[in-house]
Amino acid sequence: VTGDLGPSYKYEGRSVNDIIGESFPVSAQLGLLALCVAVVGGIAAGAISAMRPNGIIYYAITFISTLGISVPTFIIGAVLVYVVGFELGWLPVAMWRGPSYMILPVLTLAAQPMAFIARLTRSGLLDVYQQEYIRTARAKGLGAWNILIRHALGNAILPVITYIGPLAASLLTGSFIVETIFAIPGLGQYFVTSIYNRDYTVILGVTVFYSTLIVVLNIIVDMIYPIIDPRVTTEKERA
């Protein structure tokens, strides 16, 4: 195994390794920013809604998260481009040249996973809040935020950690749709153009790279699991 993915049929004099090496840093930057926004925003939204069940904030976040999951990414991107870029003129709508160019693509890419993480967090917290140790903490007079941070959140976000593995691989390799909409020279855009150009070595190379990244990130998630919840290690030792 040499790691040589072969030459590109479309781009003469360039190998698949060169294309991945040049485009992946752009996709990785976009993906990392989107991942941070999705995780932080999703956990925060889910926690706030779980702390105030059956209230206005709860139903508002539930509606927005459902909308975020239901609406396709290309529609979210198109709406942001039209409203924020063309109508309001606040932000540029294409290329990848600086912080202002990153905002719309990052928000577009983070919208769906952030909504899904919000629902996972809310569901997990609502279940954890029914446990006896949470009732004991409340009986001792601990505040809502203290209970959330010290007792509830660590157990509630385990499904989120599981979801982050494949999500990170997907975001780091770049969203094909987002990179195409915003003309970002990332790995996703090369993958799309390679399909049109029948550049089979690029298609196979990106697929192998993406699959390897998923495996590696899932292994990392499995390693992080016992750190977040030591009970996982204990249960495995008993088994």
Side-chain angles (χ1 to χ4, degrees):
V1 180
T2 62
D4 185 2
L5 298 174
S8 169
Y9 294 158
K10 173 65 177 178
Y11 304 97
E12 295 184 2
R14 299 182 66 190
S15 67
V16 178
N17 297 60
D18 295 334
I19 293 174
I20 293 176
E22 292 175 6
S23 59
F24 178 66
V26 177
S27 295
Q29 188 178 18
L30 170 63
L32 282 174
L33 291 172
L35 182 64
C36 292
V37 171
V39 172
V40 174
I43 291 177
I48 292 172
S49 64
M51 291 174 65
R52 301 178 181 275
N54 301 322
I56 296 177
I57 296 177
Y58 174 86
Y59 289 113
I61 293 177
T62 300
F63 173 77
I64 294 173
S65 61
T66 303
L67 192 66
I69 294 173
S70 304
V71 178
T73 302
F74 68 89
I75 293 181
I76 296 175
V79 170
L80 288 176
V81 166
Y82 178 75
V83 175
V84 180
F86 293 146
E87 290 295 323
L88 300 177
W90 289 350
L91 296 169
V93 298
M95 303 307 294
W96 191 257
R97 296 174 179 171
S100 61
Y101 290 82
M102 300 177 182
I103 296 175
L104 290 184
V106 168
L107 291 178
T108 302
L109 188 57
Q112 279 194 340
M114 180 166 57
F116 192 72
I117 289 173
R119 295 189 66 176
L120 285 177
T121 305
R122 183 196 64 200
S123 177
L125 281 173
L126 290 176
D127 182 61
V128 169
Y129 278 149
Q130 303 301 318
Q131 303 300 318
E132 291 294 335
Y133 67 91
I134 297 296
R135 296 175 184 173
T136 303
R138 286 173 176 165
K140 290 181 178 180
L142 295 180
W145 287 102
N146 198 350
I147 293 174
L148 172 69
I149 296 173
R150 294 183 58 185
H151 300 284
L153 193 59
N155 294 324
I157 64 172
L158 292 179
V160 176
I161 301 299
T162 304
Y163 174 64
I164 286 177
L167 171 65
S170 176
L171 295 182
L172 288 177
T173 51
S175 170
F176 308 150
I177 297 174
V178 172
E179 291 185 3
T180 302
I181 291 175
F182 294 97
I184 298 173
L187 191 59
Q189 191 178 56
Y190 272 105
F191 186 81
V192 173
T193 56
S194 66
I195 296 175
Y196 297 147
N197 298 326
R198 297 184 180 181
D199 197 348
Y200 301 115
T201 52
V202 174
I203 296 173
L204 291 174
V206 173
T207 303
V208 170
F209 180 76
Y210 176 68
S211 302
T212 304
L213 198 59
I214 289 180
V215 172
V216 171
L217 289 174
N218 280 329
I219 292 174
I220 294 174
V221 168
D222 288 339
M223 295 172 63
I224 293 175
Y225 239 101
I227 299 175
I228 297 176
D229 188 1
R231 294 175 301 176
V232 175
T233 305
T234 305
E235 291 175 0
K236 288 183 178 180
E237 290 175 353
R238 290 177 180 176

